[in-house]
Amino acid sequence: MLSRPKPGESEADLLHFQNQFLAARASPAVKIVKKADKRKGEEGSTDAERPPLQDCKDVVMLDDFPDTLPALTPAPPKKSKIKSACVHFEDEDPEERLESHDQHITAVFSKIIERDTSAVAVTMPVPTGDPFPRTFHRSEIKSEVKVGSGRKSIFAQKMAARRAAERAATTPSAAECVQIKSAARDALDPEGSTGEAPLPSIREDKAGDFLTSQRPCLITGEGLGSQKSEEEAQAIHKENLEKLQSMSEEEILQEQEKLLAQLDSSLVAFLKSRRSGNESQKKELKMEQNRLEEFVESLPVAQHGVGSCLSMQESGLEESVRKEENMKVEITDDDLPVKPKKEWIHMDNVEFEKLEWMKDLPSPRQKKTKKGMQARFSLKGELIPADADLPTHLGLHHHGEEAERAGYSLQELFHLSRSQVIQQRTLALQVLGRIVQKKYLDWTFSWYQGMAAFPFVPNNEEEEEEEEEELNGTEKSQDKKLKDENKPDPDVARYDVVKGLLKTRIQHRLRYILEVVRPVPTVVLDILHILTHIARHSSEACSQLLDCPRLIETIVREFLPTQWDPQVAEPGCLLTSLHGVACATAMKFIRVLASGGRNATARLLNKFEMKSRLSRFIAEDPLDLLLPREEAIRLSTEAFRLWAVAAGYGQGCDLYRDLYPVLVRILQSLPELLSACRGKSPVIELLVQRATAVVTLLIHVTQTAGYTAELQAKLSSSEDTEPIAPPPVAWNQVSGLQPFLETSLKKCLQEISQTETWQTLQPLTTTYLIYLGVYYSACSQQPSVNPIDCLEELERLTSEVLQPLLSQPAVRSMWDLLRPCSALCNPLSCSPAPESVFSIASLSCTGGKPPLSLVGSKSPFPFLTALLFLINSITHVHKGLTSKYSSVLGFRGLKDYLHQSWQTGPPSVTPSSAWILRHEYHLQYFVLALTRRMVGSCPDYTQHASLHHCVSMALLSRLLPGSEHLAYEVLLDVAFNPEFLPEGKAGGPEAADFSDILHLGTSAKLAQPGSVAAFFSKPTRGALLRESYQNLPFIRSCYLSHFVHLQPALTRSQASYQGRNYLIQSMLLPEVKGPILPSDWPFFPLISLYNKVTNAETRGAVLNSLPLDLVNTVTWNLQWVLLLETWRAKTLQSIPTAAKLARLMCVFLTGGDLFLEAPIHCYTAALLSVYCQPKALDSLNLDAPLPGLASFHDLYISLLEQFEGVSFGDPLFGVFVLLPLQKRFSVHLRLSVFGEHTSILRALGVPLQQFPVPLERYTSPPEDNLNLLRLYFRTLVTGALRHSWCPVLYVVAVTHVNSFIFSQDSTTQEIDAARKSMLRKTWLLVDETLKKHLLYYRLLNAESPLGFDLYEQLPAMRLKYLQMVTQKENKENAPALVS
């Protein structure tokens, strides 16, 4: 086998290889076949032995290769679009086939006439005395010619200007121009000799524009290159016009079709686009011609010709573009501060949009739009109002979006934060840090449950209206995370700034600035504020910050060192760098980061060595720290708060034993704060905050130690598979601190009458009360504590401290301040502030935080909440002391507050309102918990029961996520407690029966529909209420079982409220998207069953999976709703009447013939009578969107289908079908009954006497929908609607048809013809009864068997109108009858 040539071998080697190949006589791998040239014929062939080929191309054939190309998999083989449409024959010549399908332009324009150039003048170069042609510089010629199309160089523009100047110099005389103008007008004027013949109709629109136009639309003559190119184009245009005028309309259409068939479609589209592009300039050209003619007519005759001649020489398109540009310059030239000059390069064509930034800024104004405007901030982080007109020297204006508005938007700040210029990054971070720098949560840190906070997640994210399948929480969160990852950074930041920052890896950038750039102290503080706000966002954000390489290490090493330069503490020392100096802001960031979860806290304490930092900053007194005094106190305060957060998880308690002497020393120094408060020390507020942080730490250490014995017992019994290790702190190690704190509490309470001193000490006193409540709750559970000693201590505390406190006038005034400071009673106080940005969760409120607000300095809520918590802890342990605190419920301020709070509408849930309302709900819960204990021990408590029950019902629909334990306790002890419904014992059922007898508060007749299952007697409403009252324990069990889906959240909430720190996973509460329970939670069991049935039917499952006690469940639900509607109607006012009816319809849509069960039928009928009262019917609005319901129309269609299937003609079911058919509701509901579901008209046999709704609501005003009127008439005439089958709708249909056929109001011709036709058909009816009802109907009468009265004789006006209509018909039909 021959070898292949290798690199480096010479030509001689190649010849040697060739000789070897020829000597071997091997067959070549490639065979070359040549064919004679077709144009030379067979004679040109020199190879006589070559076989004939079918193709006319040189073909290269390779051995061992297939004839067809292999298919490219997996792509499908390409298919020809025209191959299947063409039929070819084997003997057909390819050349003839090509000629027959030729689409060249010569096949269309078969006759091409060469342009006549005999009249073109040939110009010779002008002889000069110079040896070479004289050159010119472009500066010698002013460029005045505008570019018509395309781009030209500066030299080409100068040459065009020179030629224009030469043409102007050789302008013909005025007389010649006048002749040219007149000749052109005679040739182009449609009123001239060529236009006398009438044009075909096709020329009236588009063709008319072409025939009367003075210039061609497509041909401009630019390519001819001569001075008379425009005249040549005009001559061709004139010839075309004469040709078209000589043709008929049919010939023009035929030629048009022929051209369209021959020309390429892309060429036709191009010509049409040129045509449409020129049409937009016709109006401008016509206006310019009118102005030019007026100007020429105002000149002498000699100048007329000059003007007209010049206008004929210029191109139309070029002239219009020039005019438009000149108009722009004229309009905007005066507005520019710098006037462009024509000598400037590239300034001959002024582009105003590029110079618009040089204009003066318009005055800012507030846009009238429903959507919020883009927020803009000053360099101090303050929001700038949209209509603020700030001077430009402040540096807040720039050339971005909304240049007239001062300030920087968040998107612009994010962009600057990624800049390579360090000054821009510094400025952006400073502004962002000042925007998010809020300290509101520090105020409530030591309140009851104040350490827990809602995540800073905006609650108005973009709602994607997509149908999602049933996913659990983990799958939903993962799906949401994937969606956020796929979105661009600006889109994410638009609805959540923190997510947008994290998506841009802001933590890595900030770490680089802190570690490498080492900026000035103000920038460092701003960066720490930004990181703190990010850590408050969510647990995921905390994890990303912890996982950022070297971020936490850098902050701990640089800003929380154990040693630093002592010169920092010297007065007057200017701190140039914060690196290497302990900083309270850094400690606060670590504390907020620890609030993200117990795992984050464990990493901070162990991996990042925060335990040693805590020991360092807690063991040393703030006055001994080598820092400025205020900064040292803040640092110590934040260290105690971080330790308190760790103790809240049951961590860091080993430090308690090491630092126990320090804590005792601090507690011993607490009484010294009183003298400092009286002396008005400048740092007294900071010292009080530090003391509250210390007491808060002791609260959580005491809670942790309270469960040590229990965990130790579980560990020794080894019952649990995964036992929890007990904490390293025992009860005997914390119980010794209680005397110190109780002594301090007594001294603080002595200052309650001193307003200024008390205002300073109130936060500390609040924490004392919470500590005592936690201490005695845990003490009563300790096996090592004698219970008798504990009870005696509680009695001593009650008699010596709390009872004297409650009798203080200052405490009475606190109860009076509840209503003015309440967020529920003053909704605007917790509404978002105007400077709030929806994409940044903020706690700022309208009007800020004034003293008389819930979190203001004079607010009684934190102290009274702590006091009620202590009282509940005492009465829970020592129930015999309950009566001692009965005076609490008797305070008038408390009663006024409760009465006002529960009657307000549901508050809007925002980050600020959720934070505030959560603390207000704590106070209401403790009031209800105290009332629960008062019920059995205080006989005169009944007078407050109704008020407290209303408060509990309102609270259940308002409690926010994280408070599931409170909702469970209210449901368990208060909501279904018969003691809170005193009407059940005090004659409430009898009063209901008496009211029904006297028709008080109801309609004129209290009609209740019967049942097809008439084997049971109808009980009275009083009997139903009595039975419901007796079944309250079963009703409570029913509702608690249906809220079992909240069990995981309830477990987490119980761990927090019961102080089980070893079970708490995070101090961040669940994300707030609304209350825990919906506002219509009393209907929840019924809705749950309906959804279960609907989902089962959707999946095609058998409905046997429904609970066995289905009848009992629905009955208990209806009983509870009936109790509330009768005795607590105002608590359900937030639910629309239409929503209540929609929920009741679920009774008929659940479980087939469930509604026929005797108890369900009775309670549904009783509730229907409540919702059919006049006030309820007036408030019924089915056209408005209903909560929890996508479309009422769809629900009603399902109800109609269910009625057709399983109703058995039940009157109660029929009333629910008839209720939405009232006249004021959507006509589509009535069209559905009379158009698509006419079969139900035979089964809707609700008697008029049992129908609870006045018929006037169905018949007034008269029906004006013609289609529905025709359906009314058709069902009556065909017998589908009869009085014996459906008396209610029969009366409605007769009323509307009678009103329509005798109406003589002026209306459209169609309606008039329809009512006359309907009247004639009525006159000709064979059914005399129906005919009499339709013609002689008078008015409604509920007492009549028919439901309406009839005329004995028609009124004269109606009779006359009837005769006129019917006689007219007879006259029209008479000739036809005769013939």
Side-chain angles (χ1 to χ4, degrees):
M1 183 176 181
L2 298 176
S3 61
R4 297 177 61 84
K6 299 178 181 178
E9 294 180 343
S10 63
E11 187 176 353
D13 297 330
L14 295 177
L15 291 175
H16 178 67
F17 287 146
Q18 181 180 0
N19 294 332
Q20 287 182 351
F21 175 76
L22 294 176
R25 295 183 179 275
S27 59
V30 177
K31 184 177 182 180
I32 301 176
V33 181
K34 294 184 178 180
K35 185 180 179 181
D37 192 352
K38 183 179 180 181
R39 292 169 293 183
K40 297 180 180 179
E42 297 297 334
E43 299 161 357
S45 176
T46 58
D47 192 357
E49 298 178 0
R50 182 175 56 203
L53 298 174
Q54 295 180 355
D55 241 329
C56 59
K57 299 179 181 178
D58 294 341
V59 180
V60 179
M61 302 179 64
L62 300 177
D63 292 344
D64 300 331
F65 270 76
D67 296 336
T68 59
L69 293 177
L72 295 178
T73 55
K78 295 183 178 180
K79 297 182 180 180
S80 174
K81 295 182 179 180
I82 61 173
K83 182 176 181 180
S84 58
C86 302
V87 179
H88 304 304
F89 300 95
E90 294 183 356
D91 56 349
E92 184 177 1
D93 189 4
E95 185 174 359
E96 295 181 358
R97 187 195 314 162
L98 181 64
E99 291 294 340
S100 62
H101 293 84
D102 188 14
Q103 297 293 331
H104 194 262
I105 194 171
T106 56
V108 180
F109 300 106
S110 58
K111 183 179 181 181
I112 302 176
I113 303 177
E114 188 176 359
R115 178 172 60 89
D116 185 12
T117 59
S118 59
V120 177
V122 180
T123 58
M124 298 297 293
V126 180
T128 61
D130 300 329
F132 292 99
R134 181 175 176 273
T135 60
F136 68 93
H137 196 269
R138 58 184 176 85
S139 61
E140 299 176 0
I141 302 176
K142 295 183 178 181
S143 178
E144 297 180 353
V145 176
K146 309 298 179 185
V147 182
S149 60
R151 300 186 62 180
K152 291 186 179 181
S153 63
I154 298 176
F155 183 80
Q157 297 178 23
K158 296 295 181 179
M159 293 298 295
R162 181 182 181 186
R163 285 195 294 268
E166 292 176 354
R167 288 199 299 269
T170 59
T171 301
S173 61
E176 295 174 352
C177 290
V178 171
Q179 292 177 1
I180 292 173
K181 178 179 179 181
S182 61
R185 285 183 176 178
D186 293 342
L188 300 177
D189 191 359
E191 297 179 0
S193 58
T194 60
E196 291 179 359
L199 297 176
S201 61
I202 194 176
R203 300 169 190 166
E204 292 178 1
D205 42 20
K206 296 181 180 180
D209 296 340
F210 175 74
L211 294 173
T212 58
S213 61
Q214 298 182 359
R215 295 184 179 87
C217 298
L218 302 175
I219 304 174
T220 59
E222 292 180 358
L224 297 179
S226 63
Q227 296 181 355
K228 297 185 178 181
S229 60
E230 187 175 355
E231 296 180 5
E232 289 288 343
Q234 291 288 351
I236 296 173
H237 182 58
K238 178 181 178 181
E239 183 180 351
N240 291 338
L241 292 178
E242 293 176 352
K243 179 67 175 176
L244 287 173
Q245 288 175 349
S246 64
M247 297 172 64
S248 63
E249 182 177 354
E250 290 77 8
E251 293 174 346
I252 292 176
L253 292 175
Q254 290 177 2
E255 293 296 330
Q256 183 181 10
E257 293 176 359
K258 187 181 300 183
L259 283 175
L260 293 176
Q262 293 177 344
L263 290 177
D264 190 11
S265 59
S266 60
L267 180 59
V268 175
F270 168 72
L271 296 177
K272 288 183 178 180
S273 65
R274 289 290 302 271
R275 170 78 175 176
S276 61
N278 293 337
E279 286 178 356
S280 62
Q281 302 174 355
K282 286 184 179 181
K283 295 182 179 179
E284 298 180 6
L285 291 173
K286 193 170 294 183
M287 294 172 63
E288 294 164 9
Q289 291 176 358
N290 295 337
R291 288 197 297 266
L292 182 61
E293 290 177 0
E294 293 175 0
F295 174 71
V296 172
E297 290 175 359
S298 63
L299 295 176
V301 179
Q303 297 180 6
H304 278 220
V306 179
S308 59
C309 180
L310 290 176
S311 65
M312 291 289 293
Q313 288 180 347
E314 293 178 355
S315 173
L317 181 60
E318 203 169 281
E319 180 181 357
S320 65
V321 173
R322 185 187 311 164
K323 286 286 184 180
E324 183 178 355
E325 292 173 352
N326 289 340
M327 287 175 62
K328 282 186 179 180
V329 174
E330 290 175 4
I331 293 173
T332 60
D333 192 27
D334 296 337
D335 298 334
L336 298 177
V338 180
K339 306 297 185 293
K341 298 181 180 181
K342 297 181 179 178
E343 290 78 10
W344 294 354
I345 300 177
H346 295 304
M347 291 300 294
D348 53 341
N349 182 14
V350 179
E351 297 177 277
F352 175 72
E353 63 275 5
K354 294 182 180 180
L355 300 177
E356 194 172 1
W357 63 274
M358 300 176 65
K359 293 173 54 179
D360 292 336
L361 291 175
S363 58
R365 59 188 179 85
Q366 180 77 31
K367 296 181 180 179
K368 295 181 179 180
T369 175
K370 293 183 179 180
K371 295 183 179 180
M373 298 180 65
Q374 186 169 228
R376 293 191 173 274
F377 300 89
S378 67
L379 299 181
K380 296 181 180 180
E382 300 171 348
L383 186 89
I384 300 176
D387 54 353
D389 193 2
L390 300 181
T392 56
H393 70 269
L394 297 177
L396 298 176
H397 293 80
H398 49 87
H399 306 296
E401 297 179 355
E402 301 177 328
E404 71 276 5
R405 291 186 59 192
Y408 290 84
S409 66
L410 291 174
Q411 286 79 7
E412 292 163 354
L413 291 173
F414 293 158
H415 183 73
L416 287 176
S417 67
R418 290 194 260 185
S419 172
Q420 295 183 354
V421 182
I422 186 60
Q423 290 85 353
Q424 291 181 344
R425 288 207 305 269
T426 301
L427 176 66
L429 294 175
Q430 284 178 338
V431 178
L432 286 172
R434 291 161 187 165
I435 291 173
V436 302
Q437 183 178 359
K438 304 295 182 184
K439 300 181 180 179
Y440 296 136
L441 285 178
D442 295 343
W443 299 351
T444 60
F445 182 85
S446 298
W447 289 17
Y448 176 76
Q449 291 289 323
M451 190 181 298
F454 291 108
F456 276 19
V457 178
N459 58 355
N460 50 353
E461 296 182 3
E462 295 177 348
E463 297 293 339
E464 300 178 1
E465 299 295 335
E466 298 179 358
E467 295 184 0
E468 298 182 356
E469 298 179 358
E470 294 183 0
L471 301 176
N472 56 30
T474 305
E475 293 175 342
K476 284 185 178 180
S477 61
Q478 293 177 354
D479 184 57
K480 185 178 181 181
K481 186 176 180 181
L482 290 175
K483 289 181 179 179
D484 289 337
E485 290 178 355
N486 296 331
K487 287 182 180 178
D489 298 354
D491 293 346
V492 176
R494 188 173 293 114
Y495 67 88
D496 194 331
V497 169
V498 175
K499 275 187 179 180
L501 285 172
L502 292 174
K503 207 168 187 304
T504 62
R505 298 169 64 86
I506 188 68
Q507 65 271 30
H508 298 270
R509 305 172 189 274
L510 297 180
R511 190 269 312 160
Y512 175 81
I513 295 174
L514 293 175
E515 184 181 22
V516 180
V517 180
R518 303 170 72 90
V520 295
T522 55
V523 177
V524 171
L525 293 177
D526 292 333
I527 290 176
L528 291 175
H529 288 316
I530 293 174
L531 291 173
T532 303
H533 190 94
I534 293 175
R536 291 192 187 279
H537 180 269
S538 59
S539 298
E540 292 79 7
C542 294
S543 300
Q544 293 189 43
L545 293 178
L546 283 170
D547 295 337
C548 179
R550 302 195 309 280
L551 174 62
I552 307 301
E553 291 93 333
T554 301
I555 293 176
V556 174
R557 182 182 66 250
E558 298 292 342
F559 308 113
L560 292 173
T562 56
Q563 297 178 354
W564 58 88
D565 189 358
Q567 294 182 355
V568 176
E570 295 180 3
C573 176
L574 182 62
L575 193 63
T576 59
S577 176
L578 202 59
H579 287 69
V581 181
C583 174
T585 307
M587 184 67 76
K588 177 181 177 180
F589 164 65
I590 298 297
R591 184 251 299 176
V592 174
L593 198 61
S595 301
R598 64 185 306 114
N599 294 332
T601 305
R603 292 177 63 183
L604 289 171
L605 293 179
N606 302 313
K607 178 181 178 181
F608 299 107
E609 301 179 353
M610 284 308 300
K611 278 189 178 181
S612 61
R613 264 66 178 180
L614 287 177
S615 302
R616 166 70 176 85
F617 298 122
I618 288 176
E620 192 170 1
D621 191 87
L623 300 179
D624 299 333
L625 286 174
L626 298 177
L627 288 172
R629 186 179 182 185
E630 294 183 356
E631 181 67 14
I633 297 175
R634 290 193 185 96
L635 179 60
S636 178
T637 302
E638 289 300 334
F640 275 109
R641 287 175 176 172
L642 173 60
W643 193 6
V645 171
Y649 299 120
Q651 301 176 3
C653 293
D654 51 344
L655 292 175
Y656 178 79
R657 295 175 298 181
D658 301 335
L659 299 176
Y660 185 81
V662 177
L663 296 175
V664 173
R665 186 181 70 246
I666 295 174
L667 295 180
Q668 289 174 344
S669 65
L670 287 181
E672 299 177 1
L673 284 177
L674 295 178
S675 58
C677 290
R678 298 189 187 101
K680 297 182 179 179
S681 173
V683 294
I684 184 60
E685 291 187 1
L686 295 178
L687 291 174
V688 171
Q689 289 182 11
R690 177 173 177 266
T692 56
V694 174
V695 180
T696 304
L697 164 67
L698 296 178
I699 290 173
H700 291 282
V701 172
T702 303
Q703 285 179 336
T704 303
Y707 287 98
T708 302
E710 179 183 341
L711 294 176
Q712 188 69 40
K714 290 183 178 180
L715 183 63
S716 59
S717 64
S718 66
E719 294 178 358
D720 297 339
T721 55
E722 296 181 0
I724 300 175
V729 57
W731 178 254
N732 57 2
Q733 295 174 338
V734 300
S735 59
L737 300 180
Q738 187 265 344
F740 293 99
L741 296 173
E742 185 175 342
T743 303
S744 299
L745 171 63
K746 293 178 181 179
K747 292 183 178 180
C748 289
L749 291 178
Q750 292 175 1
E751 305 293 331
I752 194 171
S753 58
Q754 306 296 326
T755 306
E756 295 183 2
T757 306
W758 172 252
Q759 189 171 334
T760 304
L761 293 175
Q762 181 178 337
L764 181 58
T765 312
T766 300
T767 55
Y768 286 154
L769 295 174
I770 298 174
Y771 170 81
L772 291 178
V774 170
Y775 174 82
Y776 285 113
S777 295
C779 181
S780 63
Q781 300 174 2
Q782 301 306 314
S784 61
V785 176
N786 187 356
I788 298 178
D789 295 339
C790 181
L791 297 179
E792 289 178 353
E793 286 188 23
L794 292 177
E795 293 174 357
R796 179 187 52 81
L797 180 65
T798 300
S799 60
E800 295 181 3
V801 180
L802 297 182
Q803 281 189 325
L805 174 65
L806 293 174
S807 61
Q808 291 275 354
V811 175
R812 188 180 303 273
S813 63
M814 287 186 186
W815 297 107
D816 296 335
L817 285 176
L818 283 176
R819 182 172 175 180
C821 296
S822 167
L824 289 173
C825 301
N826 306 279
L828 294 180
S829 64
C830 62
S831 59
E835 67 269 15
S836 300
V837 184
F838 75 91
S839 57
I840 298 181
S842 172
L843 302 183
S844 56
C845 303
T846 302
K849 302 293 184 299
L852 282 179
S853 63
L854 194 140
V855 291
S857 58
K858 295 183 179 180
S859 172
F861 276 90
F863 177 78
L864 293 181
T865 302
L867 178 61
L868 289 170
F869 169 68
L870 175 58
I871 293 174
N872 274 278
S873 300
I874 293 174
T875 54
H876 177 71
V877 176
H878 194 332
K879 296 180 174 56
L881 296 177
T882 304
S883 59
K884 301 288 185 181
Y885 298 101
S886 59
S887 60
V888 173
L889 302 180
F891 285 111
R892 182 161 186 84
L894 177 61
K895 291 189 290 186
D896 291 344
Y897 159 70
L898 294 176
H899 185 74
Q900 178 69 21
S901 65
W902 79 266
Q903 297 190 65
T904 58
S908 59
V909 178
T910 62
S912 58
S913 67
W915 165 60
I916 294 175
L917 291 172
R918 178 171 176 265
H919 293 291
E920 184 165 358
Y921 295 155
H922 286 160
L923 183 138
Q924 293 189 354
Y925 166 74
F926 288 129
V927 171
L928 295 176
L930 184 59
T931 59
R932 169 66 185 90
R933 297 187 178 94
M934 292 285 182
V935 167
S937 59
C938 300
D940 58 344
Y941 168 74
T942 310
Q943 56 181 337
H944 308 297
S946 298
L947 172 63
H948 295 151
H949 190 257
C950 292
V951 173
S952 68
M953 294 301 298
L955 184 63
L956 281 173
S957 59
R958 293 174 178 175
L959 284 173
L960 300 173
S963 301
E964 290 82 3
H965 171 66
L966 306 186
Y968 176 79
E969 292 295 326
V970 173
L971 285 171
L972 190 66
D973 296 333
V974 182
F976 302 99
N977 193 331
E979 300 293 338
F980 288 90
L981 288 167
E983 294 86 351
K985 294 181 179 178
E990 292 79 6
D993 288 339
F994 190 65
S995 174
D996 292 345
I997 294 173
L998 298 179
H999 312 301
L1000 295 179
T1002 61
S1003 58
K1005 55 183 182 62
L1006 254 179
Q1008 284 196 7
S1011 171
V1012 293
F1015 52 83
F1016 58 87
S1017 60
K1018 296 180 182 178
T1020 62
R1021 190 157 61 105
L1024 296 177
L1025 289 172
R1026 193 176 297 107
E1027 182 183 7
S1028 302
Y1029 183 80
Q1030 295 172 354
N1031 288 338
L1032 279 175
F1034 302 104
I1035 296 174
R1036 180 182 63 179
S1037 302
C1038 171
Y1039 277 84
L1040 290 177
S1041 65
H1042 278 84
F1043 291 140
V1044 71
H1045 65 283
L1046 299 173
Q1047 185 61 40
L1050 175 62
T1051 303
R1052 293 191 296 267
S1053 179
Q1054 284 177 338
S1056 176
Y1057 282 98
Q1058 294 176 356
R1060 297 179 178 271
N1061 296 341
Y1062 59 92
L1063 296 176
I1064 297 177
Q1065 299 298 321
S1066 175
M1067 294 297 173
L1068 287 178
L1069 297 170
E1071 184 179 345
V1072 180
K1073 293 185 179 179
I1076 301 172
L1077 301 179
S1079 60
D1080 60 346
W1081 68 267
F1083 296 90
F1084 189 79
L1086 192 56
I1087 298 174
S1088 177
L1089 291 174
Y1090 169 73
N1091 291 334
K1092 191 172 183 179
V1093 170
T1094 304
N1095 296 336
E1097 291 177 349
T1098 303
R1099 295 190 297 265
V1102 182
L1103 298 183
N1104 295 334
S1105 59
L1106 288 173
L1108 299 177
D1109 58 343
L1110 177 62
V1111 176
N1112 291 334
T1113 301
V1114 177
T1115 303
W1116 292 331
N1117 193 168
L1118 296 177
Q1119 287 177 343
W1120 177 238
V1121 175
L1122 181 62
L1123 285 175
L1124 294 179
E1125 289 288 359
T1126 306
W1127 294 333
R1128 299 288 182 269
K1130 289 185 178 180
T1131 60
L1132 300 179
Q1133 281 183 345
S1134 60
I1135 309 175
T1137 307
K1140 297 176 183 178
L1141 278 175
R1143 272 65 176 169
L1144 273 187
M1145 288 180 180
C1146 296
V1147 173
F1148 303 97
L1149 298 173
T1150 302
D1153 57 353
L1154 177 68
F1155 63 94
L1156 293 178
E1157 297 291 337
I1160 294 178
H1161 197 280
C1162 291
Y1163 285 101
T1164 306
L1167 285 172
L1168 178 65
S1169 65
V1170 174
Y1171 297 143
C1172 288
Q1173 295 179 1
K1175 289 184 179 180
L1177 290 175
D1178 293 339
S1179 64
L1180 185 62
N1181 184 9
L1182 301 179
D1183 298 331
L1186 301 178
L1189 193 61
S1191 170
F1192 182 82
H1193 183 270
D1194 296 342
L1195 179 69
Y1196 186 68
I1197 295 300
S1198 303
L1199 190 72
L1200 293 180
E1201 295 173 352
Q1202 187 79 354
F1203 184 85
E1204 291 176 334
V1206 299
S1207 70
F1208 302 104
D1210 184 69
L1212 177 64
F1213 201 163
V1215 173
F1216 277 88
V1217 173
L1218 293 172
L1219 267 178
L1221 301 181
Q1222 299 177 44
K1223 178 63 178 65
R1224 61 193 181 97
F1225 300 140
S1226 174
V1227 70
H1228 297 288
L1229 300 176
R1230 300 190 290 277
L1231 288 172
S1232 301
V1233 174
F1234 285 90
E1236 305 168 5
H1237 299 275
T1238 54
S1239 59
I1240 70 172
L1241 298 177
R1242 186 174 184 125
L1244 267 174
V1246 181
L1248 293 174
Q1249 292 74 21
Q1250 296 182 12
F1251 190 60
V1253 183
L1255 290 177
E1256 288 79 9
R1257 295 182 178 271
Y1258 293 82
T1259 60
S1260 180
E1263 184 62 61
D1264 55 357
N1265 187 283
L1266 185 58
N1267 293 331
L1268 182 57
L1269 287 167
R1270 286 171 174 165
L1271 291 176
Y1272 282 157
F1273 187 74
R1274 187 181 68 181
T1275 54
L1276 288 170
V1277 172
T1278 58
L1281 178 60
R1282 301 180 185 180
H1283 189 276
S1284 58
W1285 291 348
C1286 184
V1288 176
L1289 291 184
Y1290 182 86
V1291 173
V1292 173
V1294 168
T1295 303
H1296 284 302
V1297 171
N1298 176 269
S1299 175
F1300 178 67
I1301 61 179
F1302 283 109
S1303 174
Q1304 301 180 35
D1305 299 335
S1306 58
T1307 183
T1308 62
Q1309 185 176 359
E1310 179 187 5
I1311 295 179
D1312 184 65
R1315 65 190 180 190
K1316 289 181 178 179
S1317 174
M1318 200 176 294
L1319 181 57
R1320 296 189 196 101
K1321 293 177 180 178
T1322 304
W1323 178 252
L1324 298 175
L1325 280 176
V1326 179
D1327 188 349
E1328 293 295 334
T1329 303
L1330 178 60
K1331 177 179 178 181
K1332 183 178 181 181
H1333 290 171
L1334 291 176
L1335 293 180
Y1336 287 87
Y1337 171 86
R1338 184 176 182 180
L1339 50 83
L1340 293 174
N1341 183 4
E1343 304 299 331
S1344 173
L1346 287 176
F1348 53 85
D1349 293 333
L1350 299 174
Y1351 285 109
E1352 295 182 0
Q1353 290 183 353
L1354 280 179
M1357 184 179 295
R1358 288 195 173 191
L1359 183 60
K1360 182 178 179 181
Y1361 179 72
L1362 176 63
Q1363 293 175 352
M1364 180 188 69
V1365 174
T1366 54
Q1367 290 176 2
K1368 183 177 180 181
E1369 181 189 20
N1370 294 335
K1371 291 180 180 179
E1372 291 176 354
N1373 297 336
L1377 293 174
V1378 173
S1379 61

